[in-house]
Coordinates of all heavy atoms in Angstrom, one line a residue:
W1 N 0.9 -1.2 0.0 CA 0.0 0.0 0.0 C 0.9 1.2 0.0 O 1.8 1.4 0.8 CB -0.9 0.1 1.2 CG -2.1 -0.9 1.1 CD1 -2.2 -2.2 1.7 CD2 -3.3 -0.7 0.5 NE1 -3.4 -2.7 1.4 CE2 -4.1 -1.8 0.6 CE3 -3.8 0.4 -0.3 CZ2 -5.4 -1.9 0.1 CZ3 -5.1 0.3 -0.8 CH2 -5.9 -0.8 -0.6
Y2 N 0.6 2.2 -0.9 CA 1.3 3.5 -1.0 C 0.2 4.5 -0.7 O -1.0 4.3 -0.8 CB 1.9 3.7 -2.4 CG 3.2 2.8 -2.6 CD1 3.1 1.5 -2.9 CD2 4.4 3.5 -2.6 CE1 4.2 0.8 -3.2 CE2 5.6 2.7 -2.9 CZ 5.5 1.4 -3.2 OH 6.6 0.6 -3.5
R3 N 0.7 5.7 -0.5 CA -0.3 6.9 -0.3 C 0.4 8.1 -0.9 O 1.6 8.3 -0.8 CB -0.8 7.0 1.1 CG 0.3 7.5 2.1 CD -0.2 7.6 3.5 NE 0.7 8.1 4.4 CZ 0.5 8.1 5.7 NH1 -0.6 7.7 6.2 NH2 1.5 8.6 6.6
Q4 N -0.5 9.1 -1.3 CA 0.0 10.3 -1.8 C -0.9 11.4 -1.3 O -2.1 11.5 -1.6 CB 0.1 10.4 -3.3 CG 0.7 11.6 -3.9 CD 1.1 11.5 -5.3 OE1 0.5 10.7 -6.0 NE2 2.1 12.3 -5.8
A5 N -0.4 12.3 -0.4 CA -1.1 13.4 0.2 C -1.1 14.6 -0.8 O -0.1 14.7 -1.6 CB -0.6 13.7 1.5
P6 N -2.0 15.5 -0.7 CA -2.0 16.7 -1.6 C -0.7 17.4 -1.5 O -0.2 17.8 -0.4 CB -3.1 17.6 -1.1 CG -4.1 16.5 -0.5 CD -3.2 15.5 0.2
G7 N 0.0 17.7 -2.6 CA 1.2 18.4 -2.6 C 2.5 17.7 -2.1 O 3.5 18.3 -2.0
K8 N 2.3 16.4 -1.9 CA 3.5 15.6 -1.4 C 3.7 14.4 -2.4 O 2.9 14.1 -3.2 CB 3.2 15.1 0.0 CG 2.9 16.1 1.0 CD 2.7 15.6 2.4 CE 3.9 14.9 2.9 NZ 3.8 14.4 4.3
E9 N 4.9 13.8 -2.2 CA 5.3 12.7 -3.0 C 4.6 11.4 -2.6 O 4.3 11.3 -1.4 CB 6.8 12.5 -3.0 CG 7.6 13.7 -3.5 CD 7.4 13.9 -5.0 OE1 7.2 12.9 -5.8 OE2 7.4 15.1 -5.5
R10 N 4.4 10.5 -3.5 CA 3.9 9.2 -3.1 C 4.9 8.4 -2.2 O 6.1 8.4 -2.5 CB 3.6 8.4 -4.4 CG 2.9 7.0 -4.1 CD 2.4 6.3 -5.4 NE 1.5 7.2 -6.1 CZ 0.9 6.8 -7.2 NH1 1.0 5.5 -7.7 NH2 0.0 7.6 -7.9
E11 N 4.4 7.8 -1.2 CA 5.3 7.1 -0.2 C 4.7 5.7 0.1 O 3.5 5.4 0.0 CB 5.4 7.9 1.1 CG 4.1 8.0 1.9 CD 4.3 8.7 3.2 OE1 5.4 8.8 3.7 OE2 3.2 9.1 3.8
L12 N 5.6 4.8 0.4 CA 5.3 3.4 0.8 C 4.7 3.5 2.2 O 5.3 4.0 3.1 CB 6.5 2.5 0.7 CG 6.3 1.1 1.2 CD1 5.3 0.3 0.3 CD2 7.6 0.4 1.3
V13 N 3.6 2.9 2.4 CA 2.9 2.8 3.7 C 3.2 1.5 4.4 O 3.7 1.4 5.6 CB 1.4 3.0 3.6 CG1 0.8 2.8 5.0 CG2 1.1 4.3 3.0
A14 N 3.0 0.3 3.7 CA 3.3 -1.0 4.2 C 3.4 -2.0 3.0 O 2.8 -1.7 2.0 CB 2.2 -1.4 5.1
D15 N 4.1 -3.0 3.2 CA 4.2 -4.1 2.2 C 4.2 -5.4 2.9 O 4.5 -5.6 4.1 CB 5.4 -3.9 1.3 CG 6.7 -4.1 2.0 OD1 7.2 -3.2 2.7 OD2 7.3 -5.2 1.9
I16 N 3.8 -6.5 2.1 CA 3.8 -7.8 2.7 C 4.2 -8.8 1.6 O 3.9 -8.7 0.4 CB 2.4 -8.1 3.2 CG1 2.2 -9.5 3.8 CG2 1.3 -8.0 2.0 CD1 0.9 -9.7 4.6
T17 N 5.0 -9.8 2.0 CA 5.5 -10.8 1.1 C 4.5 -11.9 0.9 O 3.5 -12.0 1.6 CB 6.8 -11.5 1.6 OG1 6.5 -12.2 2.8 CG2 7.8 -10.4 1.9
S18 N 4.7 -12.8 0.0 CA 3.8 -13.9 -0.3 C 3.7 -14.8 1.0 O 2.6 -15.5 1.2 CB 4.2 -14.7 -1.5 OG 5.5 -15.3 -1.3
G19 N 4.7 -14.8 1.8 CA 4.7 -15.7 3.0 C 4.2 -15.0 4.2 O 4.0 -15.6 5.3
G20 N 3.8 -13.7 4.1 CA 3.2 -13.0 5.2 C 4.1 -12.0 6.0 O 3.7 -11.5 7.0
S21 N 5.4 -11.9 5.6 CA 6.3 -11.0 6.3 C 5.9 -9.5 6.0 O 5.7 -9.2 4.8 CB 7.7 -11.2 5.9 OG 8.1 -12.5 6.3
T22 N 5.8 -8.7 7.0 CA 5.4 -7.3 6.8 C 6.4 -6.3 7.1 O 7.4 -6.5 7.8 CB 4.2 -7.1 7.7 OG1 4.5 -7.2 9.0 CG2 3.0 -8.0 7.3
N23 N 6.2 -5.1 6.5 CA 7.1 -3.9 6.7 C 6.2 -2.7 6.7 O 5.2 -2.6 6.0 CB 8.1 -3.8 5.6 CG 9.1 -2.6 5.8 OD1 9.8 -2.6 6.8 ND2 9.0 -1.7 4.9
Y24 N 6.5 -1.7 7.6 CA 5.7 -0.5 7.7 C 6.5 0.8 7.8 O 7.7 0.8 8.3 CB 4.9 -0.5 9.1 CG 3.9 -1.7 9.1 CD1 4.3 -2.9 9.7 CD2 2.6 -1.5 8.6 CE1 3.4 -3.9 9.8 CE2 1.7 -2.6 8.7 CZ 2.1 -3.8 9.3 OH 1.2 -4.8 9.4
A25 N 6.0 1.8 7.2 CA 6.6 3.1 7.4 C 6.6 3.5 8.9 O 5.6 3.2 9.6 CB 5.9 4.2 6.5
D26 N 7.6 4.2 9.3 CA 7.6 4.6 10.7 C 6.4 5.4 11.2 O 6.0 5.3 12.3 CB 8.9 5.5 11.0 CG 10.2 4.7 10.9 OD1 10.1 3.4 11.1 OD2 11.3 5.2 10.8
S27 N 5.9 6.2 10.3 CA 4.7 7.1 10.6 C 3.5 6.3 10.9 O 2.5 6.8 11.5 CB 4.5 8.0 9.4 OG 4.2 7.4 8.2
V28 N 3.4 5.0 10.5 CA 2.2 4.3 10.7 C 2.3 3.0 11.6 O 1.3 2.3 11.9 CB 1.5 3.8 9.4 CG1 1.3 5.0 8.4 CG2 2.4 2.7 8.7
K29 N 3.6 2.7 12.0 CA 3.8 1.6 12.9 C 3.0 1.7 14.1 O 2.9 2.7 14.8 CB 5.3 1.5 13.2 CG 6.2 1.0 12.1 CD 7.7 0.9 12.5 CE 8.5 0.4 11.4 NZ 10.0 0.3 11.8
G30 N 2.4 0.6 14.5 CA 1.6 0.5 15.7 C 0.1 0.9 15.4 O -0.7 0.7 16.3
R31 N -0.1 1.5 14.3 CA -1.5 2.0 14.0 C -2.2 1.2 12.8 O -3.3 1.0 12.8 CB -1.5 3.5 13.7 CG -1.0 4.3 14.9 CD -1.2 5.8 14.6 NE -0.5 6.3 13.4 CZ -1.1 6.8 12.3 NH1 -2.4 6.9 12.3 NH2 -0.3 7.2 11.3
F32 N -1.3 0.9 11.8 CA -1.8 0.2 10.6 C -1.4 -1.2 10.6 O -0.3 -1.6 11.1 CB -1.3 0.9 9.3 CG -1.8 2.3 9.1 CD1 -2.5 2.9 10.0 CD2 -1.5 2.9 7.9 CE1 -3.1 4.2 9.8 CE2 -2.0 4.2 7.6 CZ -2.8 4.8 8.5
T33 N -2.2 -2.1 10.0 CA -1.8 -3.5 9.8 C -2.2 -4.0 8.4 O -3.3 -3.8 7.9 CB -2.6 -4.4 10.8 OG1 -2.3 -4.0 12.2 CG2 -2.2 -5.8 10.7
I34 N -1.2 -4.5 7.7 CA -1.4 -5.0 6.4 C -1.6 -6.6 6.5 O -0.9 -7.2 7.2 CB -0.2 -4.6 5.4 CG1 -0.5 -5.0 4.0 CG2 1.1 -5.3 5.9 CD1 0.5 -4.5 3.0
S35 N -2.5 -7.1 5.6 CA -2.7 -8.5 5.6 C -3.1 -9.0 4.2 O -3.4 -8.1 3.4 CB -3.8 -8.9 6.7 OG -5.0 -8.3 6.3
R36 N -3.0 -10.3 3.9 CA -3.3 -10.8 2.6 C -4.0 -12.1 2.7 O -3.8 -12.9 3.6 CB -2.1 -10.8 1.7 CG -1.1 -11.8 2.1 CD 0.3 -11.7 1.3 NE 0.1 -12.1 0.0 CZ 1.0 -11.8 -1.1 NH1 2.0 -11.1 -0.8 NH2 0.7 -12.3 -2.3
D37 N -4.7 -12.4 1.6 CA -5.4 -13.7 1.5 C -4.9 -14.2 0.1 O -5.4 -13.8 -0.9 CB -6.9 -13.6 1.6 CG -7.6 -15.0 1.5 OD1 -7.1 -15.9 0.9 OD2 -8.6 -15.1 2.2
N38 N -4.0 -15.2 0.1 CA -3.4 -15.7 -1.2 C -4.4 -16.4 -2.0 O -4.3 -16.4 -3.2 CB -2.2 -16.5 -0.9 CG -1.0 -15.7 -0.3 OD1 -0.8 -14.6 -0.6 ND2 -0.2 -16.4 0.5
A39 N -5.4 -17.1 -1.4 CA -6.4 -17.8 -2.1 C -7.3 -16.9 -2.8 O -7.8 -17.2 -3.9 CB -7.2 -18.7 -1.1
K40 N -7.6 -15.7 -2.3 CA -8.5 -14.7 -2.9 C -7.8 -13.6 -3.6 O -8.4 -12.8 -4.3 CB -9.4 -14.1 -1.8 CG -10.2 -15.0 -1.0 CD -11.1 -14.3 0.0 CE -12.0 -15.3 0.7 NZ -12.8 -14.6 1.8
N41 N -6.5 -13.6 -3.6 CA -5.7 -12.5 -4.3 C -6.0 -11.2 -3.8 O -6.2 -10.2 -4.6 CB -5.8 -12.6 -5.8 CG -5.1 -13.8 -6.4 OD1 -4.1 -14.4 -5.8 ND2 -5.6 -14.3 -7.5
T42 N -6.2 -11.0 -2.4 CA -6.5 -9.7 -1.9 C -5.5 -9.3 -0.9 O -4.8 -10.1 -0.3 CB -7.9 -9.8 -1.2 OG1 -7.9 -10.7 -0.2 CG2 -9.0 -10.1 -2.2
V43 N -5.4 -8.0 -0.7 CA -4.5 -7.4 0.4 C -5.4 -6.3 1.1 O -6.0 -5.5 0.4 CB -3.2 -6.9 -0.2 CG1 -3.4 -5.8 -1.2 CG2 -2.3 -6.4 1.0
D44 N -5.3 -6.3 2.4 CA -6.1 -5.3 3.2 C -5.1 -4.4 4.0 O -4.0 -4.7 4.3 CB -7.0 -6.0 4.1 CG -8.2 -6.7 3.5 OD1 -8.3 -6.6 2.2 OD2 -8.9 -7.4 4.1

């Protein structure tokens, strides 16, 4: 998941591997959670 605020550059918010390992931007750690369902090809 990336995001772009008005007047700012697009930034990485969070990412997740096929195995479920996650990474978060410092600004959202502890507040946001990324997850995926490989059977449904979705990411939340």
Side-chain angles (χ1 to χ4, degrees):
W1 285 96
Y2 287 76
R3 68 184 181 187
Q4 187 166 23
K8 300 182 68 176
E9 299 294 325
R10 186 173 299 188
E11 64 175 346
L12 176 66
V13 177
D15 67 282
I16 184 169
T17 69
S18 60
S21 296
T22 59
N23 180 65
Y24 299 91
D26 289 340
S27 60
V28 306
K29 285 183 178 178
R31 300 189 298 120
F32 291 10
T33 302
I34 188 171
S35 61
R36 65 188 290 166
D37 187 327
N38 292 331
K40 297 180 179 179
N41 290 333
T42 59
V43 60
D44 291 354

